[in-house]
Amino acid sequence: MRFRQVHLDFHTSEAIRGIGSRFSKQQFQSMLRKGHVDSITVFSKCHHGWAYHPSVANEIHPELDFDLLGAMIEAAHEIGVNTPVYLSAGLDEKLARRRPEWLVRKKDESLTWAKDFMTPGYHVFCMNTPYLDVLVAQIEEVASRYDADGIFLDIVGVHECYCQSCVASIRAEGGDPRDLAAMKRLWERTYARYAEATNAAVWKHKPGLPVFHNGGHITRGRRDLAFKNTHLELESLPTGGWGYDHFPLSARYAQTLGLPYLGMTGKFHTSWGEFGGYKHPNALRYETALSLANGARISIGDQLHPEGLMDEATYALIGAAYAEVEAKEPWCVDVESVADIALLSLEAQQSYASGGTGTRDLHAVADAGAVRMLLEGKLLFDVVDREADFARYKVVILPDAVPVDDDLLQRLTPFLAAGGKVLATGTSGLTPAGDAFALKLGAAYVEPNPYAPSYFRPNFEVAGLPSASYVMYAQGQRVELADGGIAHGSRENSYFNRDVFAFCSHQHTPSTLEADGPGMTEGEHGIYLAWNVFEDYAKKGSLVLRESVLYALDRLLPKKTLRTNLPAQGVVTVQRQTTENRWVAHLLYASPVRRGTSVEVIEDLVPMRDVAVEIAAPAAAKDVYLAPSGEKLTFAQDGGVVRTTVPEFTSHAMVVLQF
């Protein structure tokens, strides 16, 4: 897998003439060079359903009179650039109007994406119809006729569908389409059959060729779905509604799976399908560095003009970022993360609890809140599922709603016996029955707290302030101290819940200022916080939430692998490069701002000065320097800790510990 990829969208209407009329091999190659691009995803078939090459399995775009796909592959290969080939698998608007009975239907027979055929937009196909055979033939045609370096299949996944093919299938098995559990199992089988058929269609002609099935999200806890791919492409356009927290959450899980993966962003000001939209070059510089810091290669989305002319401004924009990536690559090959903490994903837990047939949660609110806290706290972490090796970590976080059943307890027992600790919040740490703790967290369970909101008065300082009663917006639990537990703060209730006949002030009733049991406890196995603090942080961002979690982690993790004075908005990771016998600490800093109603942008990159870095290293460092410049850093080491200071950096610094 190459480091510097472009995903070249080409969804082009049949109502536009002159398709590819200004394509030039020389201009195409010139732009790839300008952009420092070493791989480009080119189009066989778009969402409109047209082929961009002569086709028997499909129809060439009616306004295209030559083999555009073949010309792009030839031009790219001539200058050493790879060419994965894209096919729109789930969408084919040309065919949708001819065979609407093959489309995904909701329970009320309505369509997905575009609501009808009088609204502009696309319609999703069901793979439990003859459409799958059509798609397989199109894939085979590309794999057999073209020198593709991979296949990218878009808009696929486990889709809820009540089309007549799905209804007939379940009834033929003796099932009932009104039985949701039975339908979920059918949808899972449909996707598995699709993946098997399309992979076989590729590998029949080119064994081992990379294949990726894009559904927009890698569901945590669904390793079975992830491993239907040869690699992962983590779609995450910060400006398109994902935000800058999304990619670290996705990547910190992906790196634990052992598959090659890349981060997919875009050059657009907003999101996919935008013509004439450009983000600031500094944004792409930061986003590409964020991928490298998380062990990923990179793909930047572009969209080709219908006439086939590559946009010079786009490749100047991409080139500014990719020139830096090219210089950094030697320190980013074959890396694995160094992490103290495992965040057991709540989305992964939900996948497990549903038996692998749950609908995906694109937001995973508690996961997102936890990742934001850990990033701000400059902690080294992975996002994991239940199949992870907990022995690799010092602390496991169970966020908000992770019950400890017999299987999870069996996995945690050797980890705890070896000195590992758990941080549990909300109803996490309870047995599946929800009436007692399965772990020794210094607490005995009583009941859900009937008061909402309730308050937390910590026994420790929050941001240097005197003792205070902090409102906790999320659901809380009533617990008592047990098993010699220690209380790190008390829970207080409001006078009453807000009601039409009893309310106070603008938002909620104040605290009675009387303790009603502990709010944070510590026991043999770790620490418990009695609220859904991660969900609360994702939604409200209250300071006490983060400070309470970081206080707990300081107690559970007194010997952190990395410490730094980088400000809260900064990001740190450490990647182990075993083949080169070195660790690389990545320091990043940028401050996104909101433009419009929902677009996060990065423009100004503020220099960071005198950033201290302390790393508990596995061996004595022979050398400490900045990559790729090679600038030597003065350092000291004692007790296994290497201490250095980065005098100044802008956006991204790589501190290399050479052993």
Side-chain angles (χ1 to χ4, degrees):
M1 179 185 286
R2 301 285 179 89
F3 270 92
R4 292 167 277 118
Q5 184 161 298
V6 161
H7 187 92
L8 190 64
D9 264 3
F10 198 53
H11 303 294
T12 310
S13 169
E14 62 276 7
I16 298 176
R17 296 187 176 182
I19 304 304
S21 59
R22 298 181 68 187
F23 174 79
S24 157
K25 179 170 89 170
Q26 290 72 29
Q27 198 260 354
F28 185 74
Q29 292 176 333
S30 173
M31 292 302 101
L32 294 181
R33 291 189 178 105
K34 188 180 190 73
H36 293 259
V37 175
D38 61 10
S39 181
I40 184 165
T41 302
V42 290
F43 266 43
S44 163
K45 174 196 174 187
C46 73
H47 289 345
H48 293 276
W50 302 110
Y52 294 94
H53 54 87
S55 178
V56 174
N58 196 1
E59 299 171 47
I60 192 170
H61 194 290
E63 298 296 330
L64 178 66
D65 60 9
F66 71 103
D67 185 349
L68 179 59
L69 174 64
M72 286 183 165
I73 291 175
E74 179 183 347
H77 282 178
E78 194 172 278
I79 60 171
V81 175
N82 277 359
T83 55
V85 175
Y86 175 103
L87 293 96
S88 180
L91 305 177
D92 186 323
E93 197 57 22
K94 159 178 56 66
L95 191 59
R97 291 180 175 272
R98 299 173 188 174
R99 303 308 298 260
E101 70 275 17
W102 292 353
L103 297 175
V104 168
R105 299 277 176 170
K106 298 179 184 177
K107 207 168 187 177
D108 62 1
E109 284 291 313
S110 61
L111 298 164
T112 56
W113 287 43
K115 65 180 180 179
D116 53 39
F117 282 103
M118 299 306 293
T119 302
Y122 304 114
H123 303 84
V124 182
F125 274 87
C126 176
M127 298 298 177
N128 189 32
T129 67
Y131 173 70
L132 179 58
D133 298 327
V134 173
L135 177 63
V136 164
Q138 294 169 349
I139 294 168
E140 283 209 42
E141 184 175 73
V142 171
S144 61
R145 292 186 181 182
Y146 291 94
D147 188 14
D149 294 304
I151 298 292
F152 185 106
L153 299 171
D154 204 9
I155 320 298
V156 293
V158 180
H159 292 302
E160 176 181 319
C161 182
Y162 289 91
C163 75
Q164 291 309 306
S165 290
C166 286
V167 170
S169 291
I170 204 71
R171 294 193 71 196
E173 298 171 2
D176 187 337
R178 292 165 292 193
D179 179 353
L180 180 58
M183 292 302 289
K184 284 183 175 181
R185 290 191 292 270
L186 172 66
W187 303 331
E188 292 281 342
R189 292 196 301 272
T190 295
Y191 181 70
R193 186 167 60 250
Y194 147 82
E196 181 179 351
T198 52
N199 285 343
V202 176
W203 296 334
K204 172 181 177 181
H205 301 281
K206 292 188 175 177
L209 191 72
V211 181
F212 178 65
H213 306 274
N214 185 44
H217 177 65
I218 306 302
T219 304
R220 295 180 287 281
R222 292 301 307 273
R223 293 189 178 211
D224 57 325
L225 300 184
F227 282 95
K228 295 186 187 305
N229 306 285
T230 58
H231 66 284
L232 302 176
E233 305 200 17
L234 310 180
E235 189 175 348
S236 184
L237 280 68
T239 55
W242 281 262
Y244 279 94
D245 285 349
H246 178 270
F247 179 73
L249 169 54
S250 187
R252 297 288 3 103
Y253 177 65
Q255 193 168 21
T256 69
L257 299 179
L259 288 169
Y261 62 104
L262 55 79
M264 178 183 282
T265 184
K267 68 97 178 180
F268 316 108
H269 172 64
T270 58
S271 192
W272 298 112
E274 180 179 63
F275 289 103
Y278 304 86
K279 64 177 48 164
H280 196 283
N282 283 342
L284 271 188
R285 290 177 61 204
Y286 178 80
E287 290 162 24
T288 54
L290 188 63
S291 277
L292 295 179
N294 283 281
R297 315 293 171 98
I298 306 133
S299 177
I300 298 175
D302 179 27
Q303 184 161 217
L304 184 66
H305 189 274
E307 293 182 352
L309 194 67
M310 299 278 273
D311 180 59
E312 185 171 2
T314 292
Y315 288 86
L317 173 64
I318 291 172
Y322 273 174
E324 295 182 4
V325 171
E326 188 173 10
K328 296 171 182 175
E329 287 174 19
W331 291 269
C332 302
V333 178
D334 297 329
V335 296
E336 57 182 348
S337 71
V338 177
D340 293 328
I341 297 168
L343 170 65
L344 180 54
S345 162
L346 183 54
E347 182 184 61
Q349 169 60 27
Q350 291 167 345
S351 296
Y352 171 83
S354 68
T357 60
T359 55
R360 74 186 193 189
D361 178 358
L362 286 175
H363 305 288
V365 173
D367 289 354
V371 165
R372 170 43 43 198
M373 283 191 193
L374 295 170
L375 290 173
E376 291 176 352
K378 306 298 168 286
L379 292 154
L380 301 182
F381 67 96
D382 287 337
V383 179
V384 304
D385 55 31
R386 294 167 66 111
E387 297 179 53
D389 179 9
F390 295 149
R392 297 183 56 214
Y393 307 99
K394 300 170 186 174
V395 174
V396 172
I397 296 177
L398 307 180
D400 291 358
V402 181
V404 178
D405 58 17
D406 289 343
D407 174 74
L408 183 54
L409 183 59
Q410 187 175 0
R411 295 173 184 272
L412 286 171
T413 296
F415 164 77
L416 295 168
K421 299 293 183 180
V422 165
L423 172 61
T425 64
T427 58
S428 291
L430 297 176
T431 63
D435 57 1
F437 283 100
L439 302 174
K440 296 178 180 178
L441 300 172
Y445 187 70
V446 179
E447 64 179 355
N449 191 357
Y451 292 94
S454 53
Y455 294 79
F456 179 43
R457 184 178 293 274
N459 293 345
F460 48 88
E461 282 191 355
V462 174
L465 297 174
S467 175
S469 181
Y470 292 90
V471 64
M472 306 293 271
Y473 300 95
Q475 175 63 51
Q477 307 297 321
R478 292 187 66 209
V479 299
E480 298 173 345
L481 282 178
D483 301 321
I486 302 169
H488 293 292
S490 58
R491 178 180 42 78
E492 299 172 359
N493 295 323
S494 52
Y495 285 96
F496 43 76
N497 289 332
R498 193 172 179 86
D499 179 77
V500 65
F501 298 117
F503 67 90
C504 181
S505 190
H506 297 291
Q507 289 195 55
H508 47 253
T509 312
S511 169
T512 64
L513 303 180
E514 295 178 357
D516 185 41
M520 180 193 289
T521 64
E522 182 173 355
E524 179 183 341
H525 292 155
I527 291 177
Y528 170 74
L529 256 165
W531 292 270
N532 291 354
V533 296
F534 297 118
E535 171 196 352
D536 206 354
Y537 199 65
K539 293 179 178 179
K540 303 284 189 181
S542 176
L543 178 65
V544 69
L545 303 169
R546 185 188 71 191
E547 295 303 294
S548 297
V549 167
L550 296 184
Y551 171 82
L553 290 172
D554 275 341
R555 290 188 63 84
L556 299 177
L557 192 61
K559 295 183 179 179
K560 297 183 179 71
T561 297
L562 180 140
R563 295 179 186 271
T564 179
N565 61 352
L566 193 64
Q569 192 62 42
V571 172
V572 296
T573 67
V574 176
Q575 299 288 339
R576 179 187 297 109
Q577 199 176 27
T578 303
T579 56
E580 301 296 332
N581 195 27
R582 62 192 177 203
W583 280 16
V584 182
H586 294 261
L587 311 176
L588 297 100
Y589 186 85
S591 187
V593 295
R594 181 157 296 225
R595 295 283 168 78
T597 57
S598 61
V599 179
E600 286 189 11
V601 301
I602 287 174
E603 289 188 5
D604 300 322
L605 293 176
V606 180
M608 292 287 102
R609 295 183 175 90
D610 298 324
V611 178
V613 179
E614 296 183 7
I615 298 177
K622 180 180 73 173
D623 200 6
V624 179
Y625 63 93
L626 294 174
S629 69
E631 177 187 344
K632 302 285 188 179
L633 294 177
T634 57
F635 68 98
Q637 53 187 333
D638 88 275
V641 176
V642 177
R643 296 176 176 85
T644 190
T645 298
V646 180
E648 182 176 322
F649 76 91
T650 301
S651 181
H652 182 212
M654 297 194 298
V655 179
V656 182
L657 271 63
Q658 185 67 58
F659 302 120

